[in-house]
Amino acid sequence: MLGKQWSYLLKLIQDVSAVFSITINSFLILLVLTKSPKQLGAYKWLMIYISIFEILYSILDVILVPQHYSHGPTFLVIVGIQNKLFGPSGLTLLNSFYWGFFGASMAVFAVHFVYRWLVVSENPLLETFNDRRIWLWFSIPLWYGLTWVGTGYILSAPNNSTSKFIRENVKEIFELEFGEYIYLGPFLYETMDDGSLKIHVMPFIGLGIISATIVSSVIVVLVFGYLCYDKINRLVTTTTASVKFKKLQRQLFYSLVIQTLIPFVLMHIPAGIMFLFVFLDIDLGVYSAVVSMTIAIYPAVDPIPTLLIVENYRKTIIKWFGCAPKTNSIRNSTFDSSKT
């Protein structure tokens, strides 16, 4: 029954998080379109891009109700087929898209850091964000996502060895018969009857590919994050940039840093720990559902730093929800916001 209890809790967290994610990301899109300072430039389209991405991620999470599950040298994303809008084939395809969203999330923030560096360094490549070439930047997360889709759908597809290995364990924990769910996930190796170890090559190739995407994304974030931080600090000590420009760039940088920490803490670190346990053949079992829960929470909390750190948005929220002091202080706050 423990698996059933985790499933009920997971469903509740996914539903609540999805409602909150759709609401807060839609609110952020509204603020970006109506209350952004002029100095924001093309960055507002990146902010809208990630908000739409997170809304779609939440919707897919609710449709699938995916459960991450680790058993020995395999980790799976399991989706029950009962009371679903799609059949097993459709759910398997959507499950691979779910993998794709996870992979694309890393590239989204890498692109953000590159853009922030282009702005503060006044690099000529910044012009590529001001015309149709911006779609080339937007396509980078798409390619990352498609890599993960292919890894899930092709290299980690169900097979007889994996099904035989997980059938009884899933039935015992989740009380699901084999035909009541679909899954995607690599089965890395198995011990044969004679004691020899059989390595499954294709899943290892898939794991190597997605590991490469993770490493490349982390390197881009760290390198361009440091370059942004260094450049913004040097901006503060010079007089060539306006005070408003410096202030806004610092706000956006810190917002982006916190926004990037959120998926690392809620998605990549839990998933990385699960990958490690799979390599070490340590069975997490039903407790792998923690990964499903943290992934569901991510789109709901990710917009919050932008809403609180960017001054224009923060002041607008205070004004709209009646939290600002009365009389002159409101007029002063509104006047300050309009100036930025």
Side-chain angles (χ1 to χ4, degrees):
M1 281 301 294
L2 183 58
K4 284 285 187 180
Q5 293 169 355
W6 276 98
S7 297
Y8 294 143
L9 177 59
L10 173 61
K11 183 66 168 64
L12 175 63
I13 291 175
Q14 287 170 328
D15 289 344
V16 173
S17 296
V19 171
F20 195 75
S21 170
I22 294 171
T23 302
I24 196 168
N25 277 291
S26 299
F27 182 57
L28 178 57
I29 291 173
L30 176 63
L31 288 178
V32 170
L33 290 174
T34 60
K35 299 297 180 181
S36 294
K38 293 180 180 179
Q39 298 92 337
L40 199 62
Y43 190 63
K44 67 181 180 182
W45 302 119
L46 282 171
M47 296 170 72
I48 292 172
Y49 179 83
I50 193 171
S51 289
I52 293 175
F53 170 84
E54 289 172 351
I55 289 172
L56 294 176
Y57 205 164
S58 297
I59 292 173
L60 184 60
D61 204 39
V62 169
I63 291 174
L64 290 178
V65 195
Q67 298 189 83
H68 291 74
Y69 177 63
S70 165
H71 175 50
T74 184
F75 65 89
L76 311 173
V77 180
I78 296 174
V79 176
I81 64 175
Q82 294 181 336
N83 303 317
K84 292 294 197 315
L85 296 173
F86 303 93
S89 298
L91 290 172
T92 300
L93 183 61
L94 288 176
N95 195 355
S96 70
F97 288 165
Y98 179 79
W99 283 52
F101 269 87
F102 187 97
S105 67
M106 297 176 294
V108 166
F109 292 102
V111 171
H112 272 59
F113 272 98
V114 173
Y115 177 80
R116 289 259 53 82
W117 178 75
L118 293 177
V119 171
V120 298
S121 64
E122 299 180 338
N123 191 288
L125 281 177
L126 182 62
E127 288 301 314
T128 60
F129 280 88
N130 296 322
D131 54 37
R132 293 181 179 179
R133 288 175 293 178
I134 193 174
W135 292 105
L136 295 175
W137 293 101
F138 285 172
S139 69
I140 294 175
L142 176 63
W143 288 112
Y144 267 67
L146 288 175
T147 299
W148 280 69
V149 169
T151 299
Y153 194 75
I154 299 174
L155 300 180
S156 301
N159 56 65
N160 291 334
S161 296
T162 308
S163 298
K164 180 181 178 181
F165 182 72
I166 59 103
R167 184 192 306 258
E168 293 302 321
N169 199 258
V170 171
K171 179 180 179 180
E172 177 184 351
I173 292 180
F174 295 103
E175 299 180 16
L176 289 173
E177 298 292 340
F178 182 70
E180 295 178 336
Y181 60 91
I182 58 95
Y183 71 87
L184 291 175
F187 183 23
L188 300 181
Y189 55 84
E190 60 181 314
T191 303
M192 308 305 291
D193 293 338
D194 60 1
S196 62
L197 199 64
K198 180 181 179 181
I199 305 296
H200 299 287
V201 177
M202 296 300 285
F204 260 105
I205 292 175
L207 199 59
I209 292 173
I210 62 177
S211 297
T213 64
I214 294 173
V215 171
S216 64
S217 175
V218 170
I219 290 175
V220 170
V221 167
L222 292 177
V223 170
F224 284 91
Y226 171 77
L227 291 175
C228 285
Y229 178 78
D230 181 63
K231 186 65 177 180
I232 289 173
N233 279 341
R234 285 191 280 122
L235 273 178
V236 173
T237 62
T238 67
T239 58
T240 56
S242 69
V243 174
K244 286 191 294 184
F245 179 80
K246 297 174 187 176
K247 184 177 182 180
L248 178 62
Q249 295 310 316
R250 187 177 288 277
Q251 290 173 7
L252 293 174
F253 176 74
Y254 287 135
S255 172
L256 182 56
V257 168
I258 298 174
Q259 269 192 303
T260 305
L261 287 175
I262 289 172
F264 271 118
V265 172
L266 293 181
M267 296 171 64
H268 304 137
I269 291 178
I273 292 173
M274 186 174 71
F275 291 169
L276 177 62
F277 275 49
V278 168
F279 271 116
L280 298 176
D281 196 9
I282 299 175
D283 199 341
L284 284 175
V286 70
Y287 297 105
S288 305
V290 172
V291 179
S292 305
M293 296 176 186
T294 56
I295 290 176
I297 293 170
Y298 146 70
V301 301
D302 192 63
I304 294 176
T306 301
L307 292 172
L308 297 180
I309 294 175
V310 178
E311 187 176 17
N312 276 42
Y313 305 154
R314 184 176 68 250
K315 287 183 177 181
T316 301
I317 293 171
I318 292 173
K319 178 185 176 183
W320 283 2
F321 288 92
C323 301
K326 301 294 183 181
T327 64
N328 292 335
S329 59
I330 290 184
R331 289 196 295 271
N332 291 337
S333 175
T334 306
F335 177 69
D336 291 341
S337 179
S338 65
K339 289 195 298 183
T340 58

